[in-house]
Amino acid sequence: MARARPALAMVSTAAALLLLLLCAAAFVERGAALQLCTDRLFNNTQGRHNDGLPHLTPTEEATWMALLPRRLRGGGGGGARARAEFDWLALYRSLTRGGGPDDDADAGKPGPGELLTPASLHDVRLHGDDDDDDRVLTGSSSSSAAMYWQAQQTNLEYLLYLDPDRLTWTFRRQAGLPTVGDPYGGWEAPGGQLRGHFTGHYLSASAHMWAATHNSTLRERMTRVVDILYDCQKKMGTGYLAAYPETMFDLYEQLDEAWSPYYTIHKIMQGLLDQYMLASNKKGLDVVVWMTDYFSNRVKNLIQKYTIQRHWEAMNEETGGFNDVMYQLYTITKNQKHLTMAHLFDKPCFLGPLGLHKDDISGLHVNTHLPVIIGTQKRYEVVGDHLYKDISTYLFDVVNSSHTFATGGTSTMEHWHDPKRLVDEIKISSNEETCATYNFLKVSRNLFRWTKEAKYADHYERLLINGIMGNQRGTQPGVMLYFLPMGPGRSKSVSGLSPSGLPPKNPGGWGGPNDTFWCCYGTGIESFSKLGDSIYFLEEGEAPGLYIIQYIPSTFDWKATGLTVNQQAKPLLSTDPFFKVSLTFSAKGDAQLAKVSVRIPSWTSTDGTTATLNGQKLNLTSTGNSTNGGFLTVTKLWAEDTLTLQFPITLRTEAIKDDRPEYASIQAVLFGPHLLAGLTHGKLPVTDSNHSNDGLTPSIWEVNATSATAVTDWVTPLPSETLNSQLVTLTQTAGGRTLVLSVSIADAKLEMQEQPAPGTDACVHATFRVYGQAGSSSSESLLPMQGPNVTIEPFDRPGMAVTNGLLAVGRPAGGRDTLFNAVPGLDGAPGSVSLELATRPGCFVATAPAAGANAATQVVCRGNKNNGGSASGDGAALRRAASFVRAAPLRRYNPLSFAARGTARNFLLEPLRSLQDEFYTVYFSLVVSDAGS
């Protein structure tokens, strides 16, 4: 039970509340503004701020104070007025800077037309690529154009799977209402301190998904969740609503261990508010307003009982975007109490250094502070305080210049670390928390809306493609990631640490639909529900404006003009020199004057970009058409028009953000906006997160760039459409088990192993490309896999081959010892094949007897015990052991597949987003000269 509190009603005007807080803070010392910007739950912070020192020195604090207004709003005079101003310090000044519509600071508020407005999700519909018949074996679309629609559908399936009664089980129990069914597990389990957070995420995700699809079943289910929460709050009768008791907030206020209760409340409030704003559910708004009344009283009582210092100290843990949801609520209610509550959850110890343009973020927990920035971005929009616009712009620049991976994402072990030291960070598997990616996308999206600068849209594209789109495991609903490892020899399936329930030991690998519900599951279902919310942006003006910043196949109903915009993107192949987009405009009535601006991405060449309007090539610099700021703008009467864009797309490398000279050669490879990862499995595979790969094993990440003048000298595109027809998996059946011929990870030799599940790393090693020599008769017999002088190439080692003498893998193809004769199976079974060594006729690849799951392979020879074979004879056992069934390949080449020339082995490069359990390397060490030269 919560301890008794004075029954003080919260006054409705800002002036009264401010005066109340002033009285409570009358004896606050000057040091109140000096707060340790850390997280008391993350007490082993890895970074510079683990020494207990404040972020602001007294000199810097005075500078920060000078940025804030020194004007009281009514009440008092003379010495009392000066003393109140002095005692209030950062709190009062931050609260009142641009405090509301009756303040002249509101003059800086962005006016109509200054900020772009995102197109409503109700008006945007994603669509797939009907012409794309090439599917990855896991069932997901292999087309970069169709991946967004497929990801949305997979997420919709999961949202429809979730049970409203199970989602609200702990809320009902807390309210004293009868529970229905069983609770969910993981972080939503009845004993979890973060329970209830995912239900809030569900409400946000389902509201966005309903707007994006208008799925009637989803609407019924999300409405039921709102109804249940409404009943729970009504039953408790105080405005409080959570899945745990109020004592969690008692612990929070006492600076005791309480896992981020305001973080959880933010998720619930935001979900309910999204239900109101996107689905017009008035109950959602009513619940949030009553919740705000309750928590306003809690904060007021905390400050009265202690000081404002205690409020800031209590905030030194994750409070989510509580300030953001309060600013949003204020835009609806115009209640000054809601605006003041928003100001109270801005974080001066974090914002102060940023306001002084001091890069002081190392050691801070990323997902504690990015939501605060998003809230301050809303503060700028609501009250016009340009200081907070500047703060978020500076923070973006600091993170993007020094703390981001090649994906565009940030964080390691959930924290920022020392700037430009990312080589140290990629040794750790817990990189790029999904929650941080979700929130960083919001930051860049807002900055684009404010500035119309293409660099923010470019960042959004890169981070969306590489940091979000690969966080579902294929088309499996409810299987998502917490971390995205960026180091050499890593896998999404073994990232992070095992679940423990409390930070900083965070979970990794793939979660499950019923027993996970991590924070990153919540942001995950939100991300895949609103994929259409950042494609189209509207601009007010004499001629309505439309900015198209993402190239995602979709249809937009531009209601303001009566135009329908249909966007198509040609499925991209690694061999394509251009990325092609088509925009079709259709008028419902008369032609409409409008200004359309389309982004010219930073990864392309502006000089090589072409645009045609209704078949006529546009002069990109002519009157009415411009490319200023990374956009092509066309203003005209639109009726039935087609604008076609063709962007040159090439390979490029990008250095890791590490300014130490010894790491200057470490590079990532990108094809346009797509980050490529090399399939790799070093001699010491990473099977748990404690293996940090401190040695950075050369075979995992070294590439041979000797004498290279461009990335194309050591990376070449693979024609996947042709090569996929040459892939095969070879199987045998023994003792009721199906075994597949595979490359051993331990010693790169051939072995037989159990048939792997789709999407696993083992599928890579059980797939081979089989082809004949150029000009030989076998080149036309690849599909039946029969003929002389056949090369067998491991799927993940392009240009290398199985060596027929030792059955080892890795020698460059082309020598006699890498050739086989593929002949009809010795067992005589239809469709089987046997692999005869081209240099030793009569000797075949065969399975050695084994009792375990895996079996070694060996060379067996007919009738000659002295020809090097390990067995001989023509018996039935030999014929069975040397015969394989040709099966469909367990893996296929992605349309964006490339071969990279390594020093010890070659690498198959594929988009990082397309990988599931495969082991991969994102950054490569470029060897640019021969040893000793």
Side-chain angles (χ1 to χ4, degrees), residues 40 205 263 283 295 328 331 387 524 580 635 663 700 704 713 788 822 852 917:
R40 50 196 170 89
Y263 171 94
K283 282 185 178 179
F295 287 107
Q328 293 175 54
T331 64
L387 174 62
K580 299 177 182 178
T635 303
Y663 298 125
I700 291 180
N704 183 0
D713 292 333
D917 295 352

Side-chain angles (χ1 to χ4, degrees), residues 539 543-547 558 593-597 633-636 638:
E539 181 179 40
L546 176 65
Y547 278 78
W558 192 0
L593 177 67
K595 182 177 70 172
V596 175
S597 299
T633 298
V634 180
T635 303
K636 68 180 295 290
W638 299 86

Side-chain angles (χ1 to χ4, degrees), residues 144-224:
S144 58
M147 65 177 177
Y148 302 97
W149 178 86
Q150 183 63 74
Q152 182 191 69
Q153 295 303 304
T154 299
N155 196 50
L156 173 60
E157 189 174 346
Y158 183 46
L159 293 177
L160 291 173
Y161 167 80
L162 292 167
D163 183 352
D165 288 320
R166 299 187 71 183
L167 285 169
T168 55
W169 195 97
T170 49
F171 286 90
R172 281 171 154 160
R173 186 183 69 167
Q174 175 61 33
L177 293 173
T179 57
V180 180
D182 299 317
Y184 280 119
W187 286 13
E188 283 296 303
Q193 286 193 34
L194 227 59
R195 62 187 183 269
H197 81 106
F198 184 82
T199 302
H201 281 296
Y202 168 84
L203 289 174
S204 289
S206 57
H208 284 90
M209 183 65 81
W210 179 76
T213 63
H214 280 197
N215 183 284
S216 58
T217 302
L218 181 62
R219 174 148 198 170
E220 291 173 3
R221 295 188 180 183
M222 68 189 195
T223 300
R224 176 168 168 75

Side-chain angles (χ1 to χ4, degrees), residues 914-926:
S914 70
L915 303 181
Q916 296 184 24
D917 295 352
E918 300 91 339
F919 284 77
Y920 59 81
T921 291
V922 169
Y923 288 101
F924 294 92
S925 179
L926 276 60

Side-chain angles (χ1 to χ4, degrees), residues 148-422:
Y148 302 97
W149 178 86
Q150 183 63 74
Q152 182 191 69
Q153 295 303 304
T154 299
N155 196 50
L156 173 60
E157 189 174 346
Y158 183 46
L159 293 177
L160 291 173
Y161 167 80
L162 292 167
D163 183 352
D165 288 320
R166 299 187 71 183
L167 285 169
T168 55
W169 195 97
T170 49
F171 286 90
R172 281 171 154 160
R173 186 183 69 167
Q174 175 61 33
L177 293 173
T179 57
V180 180
D182 299 317
Y184 280 119
W187 286 13
E188 283 296 303
Q193 286 193 34
L194 227 59
R195 62 187 183 269
H197 81 106
F198 184 82
T199 302
H201 281 296
Y202 168 84
L203 289 174
S204 289
S206 57
H208 284 90
M209 183 65 81
W210 179 76
T213 63
H214 280 197
N215 183 284
S216 58
T217 302
L218 181 62
R219 174 148 198 170
E220 291 173 3
R221 295 188 180 183
M222 68 189 195
T223 300
R224 176 168 168 75
V225 173
V226 174
D227 288 343
I228 294 171
L229 296 184
Y230 180 88
D231 292 341
C232 289
Q233 187 188 45
K234 185 177 179 180
K235 176 66 165 60
M236 287 187 281
T238 63
Y240 182 76
L241 176 65
Y244 43 69
E246 296 172 83
T247 51
M248 281 287 286
F249 289 91
D250 295 338
L251 295 172
Y252 166 86
E253 292 168 355
Q254 294 161 12
L255 308 184
D256 207 337
E257 185 176 286
W259 189 5
S260 309
Y262 273 104
Y263 171 94
T264 302
I265 293 302
H266 162 244
K267 306 310 173 190
I268 298 168
M269 283 184 163
Q270 187 65 65
L272 290 162
L273 202 60
D274 285 337
Q275 287 289 320
Y276 169 72
M277 294 188 293
L278 291 167
S280 302
N281 190 330
K282 180 64 164 53
K283 282 185 178 179
L285 177 61
D286 292 342
V287 174
V288 171
V289 170
W290 200 8
M291 289 178 73
T292 305
D293 288 342
Y294 172 85
F295 287 107
S296 295
N297 280 317
R298 284 210 75 124
V299 172
K300 179 185 65 177
N301 293 338
L302 176 67
I303 295 171
Q304 283 183 305
K305 183 172 182 179
Y306 299 100
T307 63
I308 195 65
Q309 178 90 356
R310 172 59 69 88
H311 171 67
W312 296 130
E313 290 175 353
M315 275 186 64
N316 266 336
E317 65 166 58
E318 203 166 356
T319 57
F322 195 86
N323 58 345
D324 183 32
V325 75
M326 289 293 100
Y327 284 120
Q328 293 175 54
L329 182 62
Y330 170 74
T331 64
I332 298 170
T333 66
K334 301 303 180 184
N335 187 325
Q336 285 293 94
K337 178 173 63 178
H338 301 158
L339 183 62
T340 304
M341 276 291 285
H343 285 356
L344 279 166
F345 280 84
D346 292 332
K347 196 169 185 179
C349 67
F350 171 52
L351 302 177
L354 296 177
L356 300 174
H357 282 202
K358 180 179 180 181
D359 177 0
D360 206 31
I361 67 173
S362 298
L364 296 184
H365 183 251
V366 176
N367 207 52
T368 293
H369 295 92
L370 280 181
V372 173
I373 287 292
I374 296 165
T376 60
Q377 288 184 315
K378 194 66 177 177
R379 176 175 183 153
Y380 161 64
E381 294 187 15
V382 169
V383 299
D385 196 329
H386 285 256
L387 174 62
Y388 294 91
K389 176 183 179 182
D390 180 71
I391 284 173
S392 65
T393 302
Y394 178 71
L395 184 279
F396 176 89
D397 290 340
V398 166
V399 175
N400 202 44
S401 64
S402 303
H403 299 276
T404 53
F405 302 104
T407 57
T410 186
S411 84
T412 295
M413 294 188 298
E414 300 191 4
H415 288 72
W416 285 305
H417 299 259
D418 285 338
K420 295 184 179 180
R421 290 293 184 269
L422 260 62

